[in-house]
Amino acid sequence: MNYAVLSDGTKIPEIGLGPGSVGYTPRPKQGRRNIFFRAWNKFIVRPMKRRRYLEAVISAINNGFRLIDYSAAYGDGKLIGKAIRSSGVKREDITLTTRVSNGAQFKGNIEDEFFAQLKNFGTDYVDILMFHWPVTGCYEDTWLKMIELKTKGYCRILGTANCHAHHLNALEKVSGVLPLVNQFEVTPLFTQKDLIAFCRERNIQVESYAPLARFDDRLMRLPVLKEIAEKHSKTVTQVILRWHIQLGLIPIVRTLNISHQKENIDVFDFTLTDEEMTKIDSININARVRYDPDNCDFRIL
């Protein structure tokens, strides 16, 4: 695994796994006719999903992933802690991220949620603590409480997610402290060059989520990417992830498929040329696949 060096000298992996939540299980309507369905979900479907999720995270660690990106919004995190312990890899060799949920920001119970996460992970610290979104009217206070948690030694690195430049400026104004990491959407369809440049000027490492644009056809079927992939004997997915890494970004991939995990991490044995990087940059059409933090309803995220 290759590592990026943050402005304080801390090293974190150049690619990460964002396993997301265990999965959606529909709630059956109340009534006697649905007793069997509820029992089926409780004793068969949910345990099966949890088992598969656990196995997938263990396999990701065993396949070389050392950055696990999680959030309180995804659930209790017990399976993440169990996967780390079951992998045979030492806790100190894993960079574990969690994020403050929007719900906790609205309610102001950041510490309660955070310590519940620690308990579920089975650890006494996380490596990176972020907030999930800059919730209007809340995120500055959330940031101050996160600083307190770091001061007390409960996390090593403070980060943010989905922050524009004006959000970062507001955090610095209220606290005098900038994050070491900012995670936001970057893809060849949405390159965010200005925000990346701003972060670099402030020595903020960028993590890119949805790095493959959630396999949007406007990206994955482009002939130029197929040509570059064939030249390097790689897949289009690997070419895009390599583009992120050579830009100095840390892509956070989301897959529980074991073969895809192996594909995603096998991106350190080739280099894109300057011409190829330029061609991929030129794909940009300023198209998001996720939400704009300046124009979204934080209650549904």
Side-chain angles (χ1 to χ4, degrees):
M1 172 57 67
N2 292 9
Y3 289 80
V5 181
L6 304 183
S7 60
D8 69 343
T10 306
K11 295 180 179 181
I12 63 174
E14 286 189 336
I15 190 169
L17 176 77
S21 58
V22 174
Y24 172 71
T25 301
R27 287 183 175 271
K29 295 180 180 179
Q30 297 298 315
R32 296 180 63 182
R33 292 183 180 181
N34 293 296
I35 291 176
F36 175 78
F37 185 58
R38 290 198 298 272
W40 176 263
N41 273 334
K42 181 176 180 179
F43 296 109
I44 304 295
V45 176
R46 292 176 189 171
M48 180 177 63
K49 287 184 176 180
R50 291 176 66 84
R51 183 175 67 253
R52 288 178 177 174
Y53 184 91
L54 174 63
E55 292 171 350
V57 178
I58 293 173
S59 77
I61 296 172
N62 290 336
N63 283 324
F65 282 94
R66 293 294 179 269
L67 169 57
I68 306 297
D69 181 86
Y70 204 66
S71 172
Y74 298 157
D76 62 24
K78 291 178 181 177
L79 295 181
I80 297 297
K82 187 174 181 180
I84 293 172
R85 293 189 296 272
S86 301
S87 70
V89 176
K90 295 179 181 178
R91 166 67 185 90
E92 58 266 29
D93 293 332
I94 300 290
T95 300
L96 178 60
T97 298
T98 196
R99 298 196 288 281
V100 178
S101 71
N102 293 348
Q105 292 193 63
F106 281 123
K107 296 175 183 177
N109 61 343
I110 283 78
E111 289 191 353
D112 291 344
E113 181 185 77
F114 176 75
F115 288 121
Q117 282 286 289
L118 287 188
K119 181 179 179 180
N120 289 327
F121 289 143
T123 185
D124 57 3
Y125 74 100
V126 294
D127 297 278
I128 304 176
L129 175 62
M130 302 178 172
F131 54 66
H132 208 133
W133 291 84
V135 176
T136 305
C138 300
Y139 74 94
E140 296 98 331
D141 289 337
T142 298
W143 182 244
L144 293 174
K145 291 177 181 176
M146 289 166 59
I147 292 173
E148 291 178 8
L149 290 170
K150 183 180 185 300
T151 301
K152 294 175 182 178
Y154 292 113
C155 70
R156 296 194 303 125
I157 299 163
L158 287 177
T160 53
N162 297 294
C163 279
H164 288 320
H166 71 85
H167 296 118
L168 298 171
N169 286 332
L171 295 181
E172 185 176 31
K173 183 177 180 179
V174 76
S175 68
V177 178
L178 281 169
L180 293 183
V181 179
N182 186 24
Q183 182 184 123
F184 52 89
E185 181 182 342
V186 182
T187 78
L189 295 176
F190 189 59
T191 54
Q192 297 243 59
K193 295 294 185 182
D194 290 344
L195 183 52
I196 291 172
F198 177 89
C199 288
R200 284 186 177 147
E201 291 172 0
R202 301 301 187 91
N203 294 314
I204 300 170
Q205 172 67 52
V206 175
E207 290 184 349
S208 47
Y209 76 77
L212 303 171
R214 298 200 167 182
F215 298 95
D216 193 306
D217 284 347
R218 293 173 297 176
L219 177 64
M220 304 306 291
R221 293 188 177 185
L222 289 177
V224 64
L225 291 177
K226 293 179 180 179
E227 291 170 5
I228 295 172
E230 289 175 2
K231 176 183 175 181
H232 292 279
S233 298
K234 291 291 184 178
T235 65
V236 169
T237 291
Q238 290 169 322
V239 166
I240 295 171
L241 293 176
R242 184 67 201 176
W243 172 80
H244 282 270
I245 291 168
Q246 286 185 216
L247 286 176
L249 315 180
I250 297 176
I252 305 297
V253 296
R254 181 177 179 178
T255 180
L256 299 179
N257 181 291
I258 295 175
S259 63
H260 290 170
Q261 290 171 359
K262 293 178 179 179
E263 175 189 6
N264 290 346
I265 206 165
D266 184 22
V267 291
F268 295 102
D269 61 350
F270 75 107
T271 302
L272 298 172
T273 66
D274 292 343
E275 181 182 4
E276 289 166 342
M277 291 291 291
T278 299
K279 286 181 178 178
I280 299 173
D281 284 345
S282 68
I283 294 170
N284 179 58
I285 56 174
N286 289 323
R288 291 180 179 272
V289 296
R290 294 292 289 156
Y291 298 93
D292 180 351
D294 280 343
N295 185 28
C296 66
D297 186 346
F298 295 111
R299 294 170 296 181
I300 65 174
L301 299 177

